[in-house]
Amino acid sequence: MQFDSSLTLLNLDTPFLLEKRIKLLQAIEKEGSISKAAKTVPMSYKTAWEAIDSINNLCPSIVVEKETGGKGGGGAKLTSYGKNLIETYTILQKEHEKFLKKLTSLTDFNTGSLKSLKRVSMQISARNQLAVKIEKIVEDNVNASITLKTKSSQKMVSNISTNSVTALGLKVEDEIIAIFKSNNVMIATSQLLGFSARNKLEGVIKTLNFSEVSCEVVLEISTHETITSVITKEAALQLELKVGQKVFAVIKSSDIMLGN
């Protein structure tokens, strides 16, 4: 047995994005016609029109631009907002499916009890959590080397146990989270060729926050990706770190945990 449900988005407690409506929007994008899209889903032409009106009314921007008339019942196309809405729903749906899969694995259907609810909603203290995609997995009997790609197309490597790969169900092309503590991130002003740490991510210093003994360094590695490092105040002063300076975040592959 397993858990299963569809994802519905609400606006002011009113359902406006259901799985069937998303299929309608996808069909409109493909067919360029409401009548053809309605047949593809399938649903009646009237229901399709009502669904589009409802979506347009409940969204802050127009999702579908309609043209009435003609033998085919009029043309239609998605706006840029509508296309982005489909993409966002698809991402949410994937995460929703992951959650249900995890919930299934944690439930003992023989007794009807949840093995560990805390594991479902667990939050961790590690400051750095980056969305990455698995590019390569190299395994032996004990350990595995996982090559990852960040949103900014920089490469990272995580070394975890082979058992962890199996437990997490990791596969090439999976989108997962790379997790590492801020005090495990070293800062270098050059790429340190020959240095044993395999991960050297290039970034620009966004902020520097000094305390009596330490310095929090926030690096921007892309427009929407940041890494936080906590080093000693003395080290920051010796490196003469400045906001806007290009530096490298250096992280050992054994310090990068993975989660999905």
Side-chain angles (χ1 to χ4, degrees), residues 31-47:
E31 302 290 348
S33 162
I34 296 174
S35 60
K36 290 180 181 179
K39 291 176 182 177
T40 301
V41 174
M43 64 173 62
S44 71
Y45 181 60
K46 180 177 181 293
T47 301

Side-chain angles (χ1 to χ4, degrees), residues 116-184:
S116 177
L117 182 60
K118 287 184 178 179
R119 288 173 61 190
V120 179
S121 58
M122 180 179 65
Q123 297 188 37
I124 59 176
S125 60
R127 296 276 300 275
N128 297 298
Q129 300 181 41
L130 291 181
V132 293
K133 180 178 284 189
I134 297 177
E135 282 209 330
K136 185 169 65 173
I137 300 176
V138 178
E139 299 178 73
D140 59 27
N141 292 333
V142 179
N143 297 312
S145 177
I146 317 294
T147 302
L148 311 165
K149 184 170 73 172
T150 69
K151 291 179 182 177
S152 55
S153 295
Q154 298 198 62
K155 300 294 177 66
M156 302 175 67
V157 176
S158 171
N159 284 342
I160 60 176
S161 69
T162 300
N163 286 341
S164 295
V165 174
T166 303
L168 292 169
L170 300 182
K171 303 184 297 296
V172 173
E173 293 297 316
D174 278 356
E175 294 180 353
I176 60 173
I177 305 296
I179 305 160
F180 45 97
K181 296 179 179 179
S182 55
N183 57 6
N184 287 336

Side-chain angles (χ1 to χ4, degrees), residues 88-128:
T88 302
Y89 181 93
T90 302
I91 293 170
L92 291 174
Q93 180 67 27
K94 286 181 181 178
E95 293 304 314
H96 179 63
E97 290 171 357
K98 284 182 183 178
F99 171 77
L100 292 176
K101 185 177 180 181
K102 175 66 72 175
L103 197 60
T104 297
S105 69
L106 294 176
T107 301
D108 185 347
F109 287 102
N110 292 323
T111 63
S113 62
L114 195 61
K115 297 174 186 175
S116 177
L117 182 60
K118 287 184 178 179
R119 288 173 61 190
V120 179
S121 58
M122 180 179 65
Q123 297 188 37
I124 59 176
S125 60
R127 296 276 300 275
N128 297 298

Side-chain angles (χ1 to χ4, degrees), residues 13 33 41 77 84 92 97 121 139 144 152 187-188 208 219 239 251 253:
D13 295 327
S33 162
V41 174
K77 65 178 182 179
N84 186 60
L92 291 174
E97 290 171 357
S121 58
E139 299 178 73
S152 55
I187 299 296
L208 291 168
L219 303 181
L239 290 170
I251 314 147
S253 55

